[in-house]
Structures are given as structure tokens and as C-alpha cells.
Amino acid sequence: MTQPSSRPVRYIDDDRDLPRFRVNRAAMVDPDVFAREQERIFDKVWLYVGHETELTKPNDFKTRTVAGRPLIFARDRRGVVQVWVNSCPHRGAMICREPAGNARFMTCFYHGWSFDTSGRLVSVPGDTAYGPDFVRPGLAAPPQVDSYRGFVFVSFNPDVEPLADYLAEATEFIDLVCDQSESGMQVLEGTHEYSVKANWKLLVENSYDGYHAVSTHQRYFEMVMASGAELDATALGDSIGVALGNGHAASVGGPNTGGMFGRPLSAAAQAERQGRFESLRGRHGAAWVDRMTGARNLVIFPNLVIIDLVMGVVIRKIDPVRPDYMEVTAWELVPPEEGAELRKQRLDNFLTFWGPGGLASPDDVEALETCQRSFAAHRELPWSDVSRGMVSAVPLGSDELQMRTWWRRWNELVNDEVLPPEPHDPPGDRFRGERLELQDQGTSV
Amino acid sequence: MESDVSLPRIEPLRSTRDLPTGTVEVAEIRLSGLPRGAVLVLCSAAGLDTHAPELMNALAEHGYETLAAAPGGPGLTEPELVAAIDGLLVVLTERGWQREQVGVIGYGEAGRAALLAAGAMRLGAAVSVSPSGVLDGPVPTLRTPWLGLFGELGTPPEAVATLRRLLADAPEFSRLVVYPGADADFFRGAADALGHAASFDSWQRVVEWLNVRVVPRPSPYAELWASRQEPKPSDHPRQGSAR
Ligand code: FES
Ligand SMILES: [Fe+2]
């Protein structure tokens, strides 16, 4: 008797006639798929490593894992952001074993070779044993490092396209986040770190899934309402899903939807926030700032999530570890000029909504872990359905265009199958206001 | 600072030096071979006989040559104090030490001198241990990374908080550590648990602060290697920003 092949003919069933879009659950359990993802996605595209504002002083460093590689994310002596492979060129020990710190020199604890933040080998104990002509190896670096508005990416593919081309139309949504501070948005010290016993792609899907909010997060919304908020159900529906090229996509709320996911702001905090938007109108135009005040859940393919509820911005990095296990790191991005009261409420929102022990994220984790457990039956029930909104003229944020966009890119890279994008009408004008540069018009500083 | 390994104790060489601010007594420990770096120890005049020799021996165990001196009495102005430190660094320059290969540690009343040096000069590292009067004048803009170690009972916590705030935006990194329940003399060691912990921890921090910042003196082979190198691309900013 021959064994049935564990690999289905296709992982994606994109039927435009019905229409119906399905993902084969083997993609979430199969170690072969996992290996192909590493090779065809994580070794090939741009990947987020960290934000420039996490490194404030010369010789500040953070250690990070990107695509399974241990990295040192540092600002060197001259203030230049550098990314190094955290492995000693001597015989491999990790050079830096701290999560964060400040050091001009890092000394490998195995045999004591010492390197500076510019990657140079500066000392070798007993170096006469190597002779005068020894070629002293410096630290290795990913072949490509670049940044967009403070977001630093690396690629392990020397021939990767330029970062700005890779980010495609997603840059517009990064701009909508970054323009919220005139002095530049800043990542706060500290991280949320948690793990999920589920395939990493399930959290990608979940990160811009508007459909699940009311059911999965009932408990959270009850808390918000109990705190005196008036939840406008029509506002929840005031959103669209957009594909941004190269697998990036977002669910995007209309103007003023950015505050509705938290406990209401105090009057003073509300006034401060409005004041900032007013001054930004003079700088970037009213239409752009109207867009800014809406919620947005953005996924930069493959694993960077930026969720901007305006009064709380989370940067989330999703790291696949095994087919059924991922690690998640999250940071909070803030306008540094924000007042203490508004900051306090922002942090409250960040913790109660997204915190690993908050009132929302644990419910997401629970949902994803039950998915993964049930995928043990993927042969009996092979397909997950991701069709919602295929029939819509303009898909809503609660539709599933975002996930389909991501999966089609995944399919292209992992399975060499190119599927055409979905035809939809352009979104309304409210979602298309352009960014203007009205530098200090009529005002003097 | 005691070590289980008994290394021979080195008696510091004593001499005098003419500084712009007058003649001072100095103590020196010179090391043979390839020392890791040099440390300028600033202490009180009395400390030169009491505390400094032990400290200098402990630094020698970590590979640092040392020069210890009392940089000047309380009568000196800030520029005079900096000029005195500058004069002491000349002694180390004569021994072949570049400034980034030198760390400065100031104890007690000389702690403020170490902070001023961190503002006035680009050294490898600077440490002030239980400094007094750090807020007596304007806090300098740091040009050298600075570590401040305080005993909770020796320095008002508000003063440390103020200093921390004033240094937050400095172009160089700084760290301020307050030892709970410890008095101003914590670094000399104490029999009680908190005092002992403060003394132990502060010494660990001093050594680590120096080790990760003071530029190591290159070996002859390292110099040969450096002379063979083209300037590396990483000597120049290589990362453009997309906008
Ligand atoms: S492995 Fe790092 S010094 Fe040997
Ligand atoms: Fe959720």
C-alpha cells in the first residue's frame, strides 16, 4: 500500500468564478512548508529588525533574532545604525548575550576576542600565536540594511530590490503613522514578548482581521463600554481593506475611528490630541490628517505588523520558530512631545488591549492556539475559508481581502504560482487624501 | 576588591608633578607587557596613602596601568580643575596612552572632577564613585560616557534624580546607580549586608564600565594589521534613509 502524499497539490484554492478563496491547513503544520518559507521568504525579502529610536546614544545596542539569525542591532561610535551577526568569527560563540545595553566593545566570552560596534576585531588575546600576517576577521553583517522613516530592515538576499520599492504603497501608511509627530515618532523603552503555540501565519491573519473583533473581543468591548464609552457600531463598519503591493495590505478605518478601541480619553487629553491634529493640518493638509485620525492595521509582508489606533501604536514582529510555535515581540510607538496625561492613557490602552496579560491579546492567542490544535485533523478537514468580501465592490476592513493579498504573495514565493490580484473599485475619497508639504505657511516659528 | 588569587602586591611609585595649578603628589603603577589600558584615579590627598594603593592593585589585576593624584583642593575653579586633569593626562601620554585608551575614576570630593573631565574631554570612560557636589555647578555636556555610583544615605535621592534628568539628552551614554541603605563610604566595603553588596556591586560595575569602553592598546600585530587595511566601508555611514 502506498502512503498518501502529505503534500496537497495546492495550498491555495483561488476560485474567481464561485468566488471562493481557501487555504489548505497543511500549510500550517507541514515541516516542509516551514522549511520552504525560511528559504523562499525569510532568506529573500526585507525583514524588520528594529526602530532607530530604540538606539538613542552612540554604542547603544539591542540583540534581536531575524529569520532565525541572532543579530546585534547597534548604533556605532559615530552614531551610524549597524546590524551585525551575533556570532564570533573565531569559533562561533555569541558575542553579545544581553538583550540590550551600551558598550563600545563586545568581548566574546569563549576565548576573549573583542569587537567594536563598527564590527572591527580590536583585540585577540595572545595574538602572536597567529603570526604577523593573520587576517583578522570582523563581524559579519546581513548583506542589505536600510531604513524607512526610522524602521530598519535587513535582507539576507544580496540582490533584493531597494527597500522603498519593496515597501510599495505601504509607505503611505507608514507615513500616516510617522507624520503624527513633528519631531518624529519614538519607540518607548521596553518590549512585550510572548509566544503562541500556533503557526505564525495565523497571527499575521489575525493582525488585520476586522471580522473577529466583536466576537473574540466581547470581553474587551464590555470593559470599554463599562468605562463610559459610547461605542458607535457604525464606526466599526466604517473601514476598508486595501492591497498595497508585494503582499502588503491594511484594514483602514475612516476618519475618527482611531480612538474607538480604547477607554475614552479625558477631556484634557482629548483636547491635546485634537490640538496636535489641528497643527498637523497646517503642515500636511486636512485630507491627510483626516486619514491620520482613522485606525489602521498594516502588515508589511511577511511578518511586520503596525497597528495604529492613533491613541496607541503597536509595532509587532512575528517570528516563526516551528510550524506550530511562534514568538512575538511588540513595541509601542509614541509622539515624544505628548503630555504626561495623554501618555498615561496611551499606555493604559496599550496594556489593556495588546498586553500579553491584557484583555484582548490573550483572547487572540486562545483563538489561534485552538486553530492549531484542530489542524491535527487537517486531512479530514483540509481547507480554511478566506473568501469574505470577494464579491464586494469595495471590500471592508471586516472582509478578508488583506489576508488573501498576503496569501497570494506567500503562494507566489513558496509555490511559484502567480495569482492575479482581485479587481475592486477604488475606495472613496476619504481614504485617498494626499499628503501635502505646507511647511510653516504663514507662520513663523 | 579582594581576590582569592594572590598576586604580588605592587607598591605604587611616588613622585611629584608640576601642573598648571601647582605641584601635586602622584602615585603610579606601571605594567610590563601589553597593558589593557590606563586609568587616572582622582582621589583626596589623604586617599593617595590610604585607599588608592589597593584600588590601583585591583585595577592592575584587570590589566590597567594607573596614575593616582589629588587633582586639587576645593579652592580650584572648574577650568582650573580641568587644566589639572589635563596635566595629569600628559603623564599618561608620555607612557604612550591615547586619551581614548584612558579611563578616569573620581572618588568622593574628586568625583565631581571626573564628571567635569567627562564633559571637557573625549576619554575612553569616566566614573564618579560617591561624588560630592555634582550639582554645585552646571552639569557638563558629556563627551565621555559617565557612570555615577551613589549611596542612598550619602547623596540626596532628589539630587540623583535631577542629575539623571539633566544627563538624559546628553550626546553620550550615562548611568546612575543608587545603592539602597548605603552611605557615602559604601565603596570602601562594610560589614553589614547592604554595605557589602554596594561595595561588591560597585566594583563590578567600575571594571565592566572600563572594559566595554576604554579602547584597548593594540598589540604590535594588531598595529601591523591596521596598517595593512584600507579604510573599511563601515568607516562611513553606509545606510541611507529612503526618505
Ligand atoms: S569563539 Fe569567540 S573568541 Fe573564540
Ligand atoms: Fe484580536
Side-chain angles (χ1 to χ4, degrees):
Chain A
M1 198 172 138
T2 50
Q3 287 288 315
S5 161
S6 65
R7 176 170 292 171
V9 181
R10 36 194 352 199
Y11 291 96
I12 302 294
D13 170 27
D14 188 358
D15 186 331
R16 300 298 170 92
D17 298 328
L18 273 175
R20 182 172 70 183
F21 188 97
R22 300 189 302 177
V23 175
N24 195 296
R25 297 170 176 189
M28 259 68 80
V29 296
D30 187 346
D32 286 351
V33 170
F34 189 85
R36 284 160 75 87
E37 286 171 348
Q38 295 305 310
E39 186 189 321
R40 291 169 162 242
I41 299 177
F42 286 87
D43 290 355
K44 288 285 164 1
V45 304
W46 285 100
L47 300 166
Y48 181 66
V49 58
H51 198 268
E52 282 172 2
T53 58
E54 293 179 74
L55 307 167
T56 56
K57 308 282 188 207
N59 301 316
D60 273 358
F61 68 84
K62 310 273 175 187
T63 48
R64 296 274 147 88
T65 303
V66 177
R69 283 109 160 143
L71 299 179
I72 302 168
F73 176 50
R75 201 174 274 285
D76 72 14
R77 178 78 196 132
R78 295 171 308 272
V80 180
V81 171
Q82 304 274 11
V83 183
W84 303 112
V85 173
N86 190 3
S87 174
C88 185
H90 179 221
R91 272 167 44 206
M94 260 187 202
I95 288 155
C96 182
R97 295 177 300 140
E98 313 268 333
N102 178 278
R104 181 166 176 183
F105 302 104
M106 300 187 183
T107 300
C108 178
F109 83 116
Y110 199 6
H111 310 91
W113 287 22
S114 188
F115 302 84
D116 68 15
T117 43
S118 302
R120 267 177 290 243
L121 174 56
V122 292
S123 73
V124 175
D127 66 352
T128 48
Y130 288 92
D133 300 325
F134 182 57
V135 176
R136 294 172 177 247
L139 295 181
Q144 297 284 351
V145 183
D146 202 353
S147 68
Y148 183 78
R149 299 203 70 175
F151 290 80
V152 181
F153 294 79
V154 297
S155 179
F156 300 99
N157 172 8
D159 304 317
V160 72
E161 68 212 285
L163 177 63
D165 295 352
Y166 177 78
L167 293 174
E169 291 166 52
T171 55
E172 185 172 313
F173 290 84
I174 298 177
D175 290 346
L176 280 164
V177 176
C178 295
D179 284 348
Q180 287 168 36
S181 165
E182 299 196 20
S183 55
M185 294 288 274
Q186 204 174 66
V187 166
L188 287 183
E189 187 66 37
T191 52
H192 286 169
E193 290 173 44
Y194 54 100
S195 57
V196 187
K197 285 180 240 157
N199 186 269
W200 67 284
K201 300 186 287 296
L202 295 179
L203 184 59
V204 170
E205 290 185 327
N206 172 268
S207 294
Y208 43 18
D209 177 340
Y211 194 22
H212 83 294
V214 176
S215 44
T216 306
H217 299 306
Q218 182 195 351
R219 186 168 63 135
Y220 178 78
F221 286 116
E222 276 174 8
M223 179 280 294
V224 170
M225 306 232 293
S227 71
E230 306 227 343
L231 209 61
D232 180 358
T234 58
L236 263 179
D238 180 19
S239 68
I240 56 165
V242 284
L244 304 169
N246 288 338
H248 317 311
S251 67
V252 183
N256 295 315
T257 51
M260 76 185 181
F261 283 98
R263 281 197 270 255
L265 292 176
S266 69
Q270 182 69 21
E272 183 191 328
R273 198 158 72 107
Q274 287 310 324
R276 176 160 325 111
F277 287 135
E278 282 319 310
S279 89
L280 288 170
R281 274 174 218 282
R283 194 175 164 112
H284 293 304
W288 182 255
V289 175
D290 281 347
R291 287 179 69 186
M292 207 185 265
T293 62
R296 78 205 98 245
N297 294 45
L298 169 68
V299 176
I300 308 282
F301 187 91
N303 68 335
L304 168 64
V305 179
I306 302 172
I307 304 178
D308 177 6
L309 303 183
V310 187
M311 54 177 288
V313 183
V314 65
I315 301 172
R316 176 188 290 162
K317 171 174 166 282
I318 303 171
D319 288 301
V321 178
R322 293 192 305 265
D324 60 353
Y325 182 77
M326 74 180 105
E327 288 176 348
V328 185
T329 317
W331 298 266
E332 161 99 78
L333 191 67
V334 304
E337 64 269 38
E338 184 170 70
E341 185 57 28
L342 191 49
R343 173 68 54 82
K344 194 171 125 204
Q345 292 175 37
R346 178 186 292 274
L347 286 172
D348 174 76
N349 197 38
F350 186 66
L351 281 171
T352 49
F353 192 70
W354 290 306
L359 291 164
S361 280
D363 291 331
D364 290 310
V365 169
E366 172 65 10
L368 308 190
E369 290 190 342
T370 65
C371 294
Q372 191 69 31
R373 287 205 296 280
S374 78
F375 292 164
H378 71 94
R379 288 194 185 80
E380 294 70 39
L381 180 52
W383 297 101
S384 285
D385 187 287
V386 196
S387 310
R388 189 172 161 90
M390 283 180 98
V391 296
S392 310
V394 177
L396 300 178
S398 54
D399 287 335
E400 291 166 341
L401 170 72
Q402 307 86 273
M403 298 78 160
R404 290 192 295 275
T405 304
W406 191 95
W407 276 113
R408 287 190 187 107
R409 178 67 176 154
W410 177 90
N411 196 39
E412 235 172 273
L413 294 174
V414 174
N415 300 314
D416 297 317
E417 184 189 18
V418 180
L419 299 163
E422 272 174 54
H424 289 288
D425 291 347
D429 288 344
R430 294 179 315 132
F431 294 99
R432 292 194 293 169
E434 281 192 22
R435 181 181 197 272
L436 306 176
E437 275 299 351
L438 311 165
Q439 277 295 15
D440 300 323
Q441 264 192 7
T443 59
S444 58
V445 183
Chain B
M1 262 168 263
E2 300 104 87
S3 153
D4 291 339
V5 189
S6 51
L7 293 164
R9 193 187 143 83
I10 306 168
E11 204 51 52
L13 302 168
R14 297 292 291 260
S15 62
T16 57
R17 279 280 164 170
D18 294 328
L19 301 180
T21 46
T23 302
V24 295
E25 264 210 80
V26 300
E28 268 180 278
I29 287 183
R30 298 178 180 174
L31 300 176
S32 57
L34 185 76
R36 158 77 181 77
V39 174
L40 174 61
V41 175
L42 305 174
C43 56
S44 65
L48 216 50
D49 294 311
T50 54
H51 178 58
E54 192 196 344
L55 171 72
M56 295 167 79
N57 270 275
L59 286 166
E61 287 180 25
H62 287 275
Y64 293 95
E65 287 201 342
T66 42
L67 171 72
L76 293 189
T77 64
E78 283 177 18
E80 284 168 342
L81 211 43
V82 170
I85 294 167
D86 214 63
L88 290 166
L89 287 168
V90 170
V91 181
L92 292 172
T93 312
E94 287 164 3
R95 294 271 304 152
W97 294 108
Q98 295 172 11
R99 294 206 163 192
E100 290 195 320
Q101 296 168 349
V102 175
V104 58
I105 313 179
Y107 283 83
E109 61 193 52
R112 173 159 169 76
L115 176 60
L116 293 176
M121 303 160 189
R122 209 173 279 284
L123 303 170
V127 185
S128 299
V129 184
S130 199
S132 52
V134 276
L135 289 173
D136 286 356
V139 171
T141 302
L142 293 181
R143 296 171 69 196
T144 297
W146 180 76
L147 171 67
L149 302 170
F150 302 87
E152 188 188 28
L153 309 177
T155 310
E158 315 80 67
V160 178
T162 305
L163 191 57
R164 184 176 281 128
R165 188 165 42 73
L166 292 172
L167 291 172
D169 293 327
E172 286 292 339
F173 182 72
S174 60
R175 175 152 305 227
L176 290 81
V177 178
V178 178
Y179 292 105
D183 64 19
D185 268 352
F186 66 87
F187 54 92
R188 296 188 205 282
D192 68 294
L194 285 178
H196 183 73
S199 145
F200 185 86
D201 183 83
S202 63
W203 175 243
Q204 299 286 314
R205 283 182 189 270
V206 168
V207 172
E208 182 173 326
W209 191 264
L210 298 173
N211 283 348
V212 305
R213 292 181 179 82
V214 171
V215 173
R217 175 181 271 182
S219 67
Y221 281 3
E223 274 180 343
L224 266 179
W225 164 250
S227 69
R228 291 199 298 269
Q229 298 310 295
E230 304 277 311
K232 289 202 328 181
S234 57
D235 288 335
H236 310 285
R238 69 185 164 105
Q239 287 160 358
S241 191
R243 62 176 298 147

